Structures are given as C-alpha cells and as structure tokens.
Amino acid sequence: MSHGAGGTIMQDLIVRIILKNLGGSNAEVPLEALDDSAVIDNIVLKSDSHTVKPLFFPGGDIGRLAIAGTVNDIAVMGAVPIALTSGFIIEEGFPLSDFEKIVKSMGQTCSEAGVYIITGDTKVMERGAIEKLVVNTSGIGKRNKYLDKNIAEVKRYRSFKSRWLLDSNLRKGDKIIISGTIGDHGVALLSFREGYDFGSKIVSDVAPLNKLITDLLNVGGIVAMKDPTRGGLANTLNEWSDKSKVGITVYEDQIPIREGVVAACEMLGIDPLEVGNEGKIVIAVVSQKAEEILSALKKTEEGKNAAIIGETTDSFREVVIETEVGGKRILAPPIGDPIPRIC
Ligand code: MG
C-alpha cells in the first residue's frame, strides 16, 4: 500500500521503474518534473485515478473527488481546465442506483467548475477483482488569461524565468500561504469509515478551486501553487524545498486546523501535516504581494481561514517547523500515508 501512498516509498517506485522506462519526452513540463500536471505545446495535461473507501463520505463522494482532483491539478499550474475524460471500472454487482448518484455528483461538480467530460470509457470486472468502483479522470487545460499578468507582477520584485507555476519556482524570501484549515478530508473519511466520534463532525473539504485560483492570478505575484493532497502539507513543502533548492520555515501556530481535527490526530497518533486535503491550495508568493493575496482569499468562502504560514530561506535546505513553544524540528517528507484510501 505504501507504494501508492504519495510518500517517499512511492517516489522511489516512480523514479526506479516509471521514469526509467517512460521518461525522455521533450515536453515543456515533462513526466520527470513530477509536477501537478504536464505541459506540452501549451496544453496542460493531467491524469488521476481514484480508489476512495467508502465511496460516499461526509462532504462528498468519489465522483466529486475525481472531478475536483483533476481540475485542481490543472488549475494550480496557472491553467484553466477546458475538458475532462472519465474512465469507470465497475465491480460486477455494484448497484446502478449508487453508480447513478456518483455520476450525477460528477456532473454537478463539473458545472461548479465550468467544465465538461467529453469522452470516456466504461469497463466491468468480475466480482472480487476490484472493490466496487475505480474512477479515472484526465483533463486538459489552457493557459489562464491572468497568468502573464501574474508573472509580470512577480517580475516587479524579483527575476522569474518559468512560464508556469512550477514546484521549482520558489526563491529565498517568498511567503507561503495556505488557503484554509488542513486535515479535514482525511480525518472526515477516517472517522466515518472507522465509526470514530471525535465530538465534532468533520466534513471533507473536497471542492474544485479553479475559479478561486483565477481570481488570485488576477491579483498577481504567485510563483507556485499546489493542492496538498496525498502526503498533506508536509509533502507539498518538501517537494517545493527539494525541487526549488530552498529551505522553508513554517510557523506551527499559524497553520489553521479545526479543533476536531487536532483532537482526532492526537488520539490516533497521526500528524495532521501529513493528512491529505482535497479543497485547499498552498501558495508561494513574492513577499511584497503576500498580504494582498491573503486578503483576496479571505474575501471568499473557500479562503476565509487562509493564513500566511511560512517563508523560504537560503540559510538551510530543509523544511523546518517552529513549534508554538519556540522549538524547531525538521519536517520530513512522509514515508507512507497515515490514512490510506482517501483519494
Ligand atoms: Mg496536485
């Protein structure tokens, strides 16, 4: 299971087997970049498979998750999704009424995001070959009309060579913003699946964020964006630090987390920083624009709990978390996934 958990073990599998055999394209953002999406001939391309358990959970279902996941991976590159595909693999005997509910939810999430599924595939496998339903969604996107304006704003303050918002774009002095509370999706799924009661109901944050992202690009100054899904905030920050060759300092007391999520994670011995989110974005922005981006976020429903949580430095190369009591520790990339089967 760790080979699919989004941590260092999966990373190793990807490098040793997948990149070794499938790399080598001349795409502008190739497979080897391991970014949220690829870019070729100005087309942004992404593919995602979803194996969530259970299929219906507080705040969403596998259908909403599939659409939001692909839309967000395209949007965080600085693109707008223009069309999606869907591939269904259905277990023999799966109730058609449940299948219809899921497809309906996909349709609703597509209209929320302003995008259509325009091609797809349906397969049925014999009972026991898979568990209920697997959904693959792929998507293409084109350059956001505000991306050049956003980059021009970055260039008022520092040099910037990339044409897209990549994991490798961070430089010393950038600020790190999170668009809202972390851990909601993973903890909502785990509590529901295992029947835990943590006193307050936690609901998944799963949502398409492409419209919010367009508004933020219009403000400008963003150098990178990422949806902290599998591996959570810890994985996102480590990928940025590694690919951009910068250190990142994060202030623990600035990270927004719901009380119920803190309680659940303490009880289960899970680090909320490693828990997957499906409706959040982490934003790296030139420091001069951080407050403006933050206030644009706070004006929206999805971004009302946004916060500036850290900054980049060239005095070290790791991700360092400053704790509430003033201590410092290295925030390592997650090895596996504290909560499997959530996306
Ligand atoms: Mg992503």
Side-chain angles (χ1 to χ4, degrees), residues 36 73 76 226-227 229:
D36 296 278
D73 272 339
V76 294
K226 204 166 187 65
D227 50 341
T229 52

mmCIF file of all heavy atoms in Angstrom, residues 36 73 76 226-227 229, ligand 1:
data_model
loop_
_atom_site.group_PDB
_atom_site.id
_atom_site.type_symbol
_atom_site.label_atom_id
_atom_site.label_comp_id
_atom_site.label_asym_id
_atom_site.label_seq_id
_atom_site.Cartn_x
_atom_site.Cartn_y
_atom_site.Cartn_z
ATOM 1 N N ASP A 36 2.221 18.907 -10.709
ATOM 2 C CA ASP A 36 0.795 18.565 -10.628
ATOM 3 C C ASP A 36 0.225 18.147 -11.979
ATOM 4 O O ASP A 36 -0.665 17.304 -12.056
ATOM 5 C CB ASP A 36 0.006 19.744 -10.066
ATOM 6 C CG ASP A 36 0.428 20.040 -8.635
ATOM 7 O OD1 ASP A 36 -0.077 19.361 -7.725
ATOM 8 O OD2 ASP A 36 1.287 20.918 -8.450
ATOM 9 N N ASP A 73 -5.495 20.040 -10.060
ATOM 10 C CA ASP A 73 -4.128 19.802 -10.534
ATOM 11 C C ASP A 73 -3.820 20.600 -11.806
ATOM 12 O O ASP A 73 -2.675 20.991 -12.031
ATOM 13 C CB ASP A 73 -3.906 18.302 -10.797
ATOM 14 C CG ASP A 73 -3.447 17.564 -9.541
ATOM 15 O OD1 ASP A 73 -2.934 18.225 -8.623
ATOM 16 O OD2 ASP A 73 -3.591 16.338 -9.504
ATOM 17 N N VAL A 76 -3.668 24.637 -10.612
ATOM 18 C CA VAL A 76 -2.501 25.102 -9.850
ATOM 19 C C VAL A 76 -1.261 25.330 -10.734
ATOM 20 O O VAL A 76 -0.289 25.941 -10.291
ATOM 21 C CB VAL A 76 -2.120 24.166 -8.674
ATOM 22 C CG1 VAL A 76 -3.197 24.163 -7.602
ATOM 23 C CG2 VAL A 76 -1.794 22.756 -9.141
ATOM 24 N N LYS A 226 0.097 24.542 -5.192
ATOM 25 C CA LYS A 226 -0.028 23.095 -5.148
ATOM 26 C C LYS A 226 -1.215 22.722 -4.271
ATOM 27 O O LYS A 226 -1.464 23.370 -3.264
ATOM 28 C CB LYS A 226 1.264 22.499 -4.571
ATOM 29 C CG LYS A 226 1.519 21.068 -4.993
ATOM 30 C CD LYS A 226 2.963 20.674 -4.661
ATOM 31 C CE LYS A 226 3.284 19.325 -5.235
ATOM 32 N NZ LYS A 226 3.273 19.288 -6.706
ATOM 33 N N ASP A 227 -1.936 21.672 -4.661
ATOM 34 C CA ASP A 227 -3.012 21.166 -3.804
ATOM 35 C C ASP A 227 -2.402 20.095 -2.884
ATOM 36 O O ASP A 227 -1.895 19.091 -3.360
ATOM 37 C CB ASP A 227 -4.182 20.620 -4.636
ATOM 38 C CG ASP A 227 -3.741 19.638 -5.717
ATOM 39 O OD1 ASP A 227 -2.550 19.638 -6.086
ATOM 40 O OD2 ASP A 227 -4.584 18.848 -6.165
ATOM 41 N N THR A 229 -2.685 17.255 -1.428
ATOM 42 C CA THR A 229 -3.496 16.043 -1.352
ATOM 43 C C THR A 229 -2.714 14.957 -0.597
ATOM 44 O O THR A 229 -2.349 15.173 0.546
ATOM 45 C CB THR A 229 -3.934 15.620 -2.763
ATOM 46 O OG1 THR A 229 -2.786 15.545 -3.604
ATOM 47 C CG2 THR A 229 -4.879 16.650 -3.374
HETATM 48 MG MG MG B 1 -1.595 18.018 -7.015
#
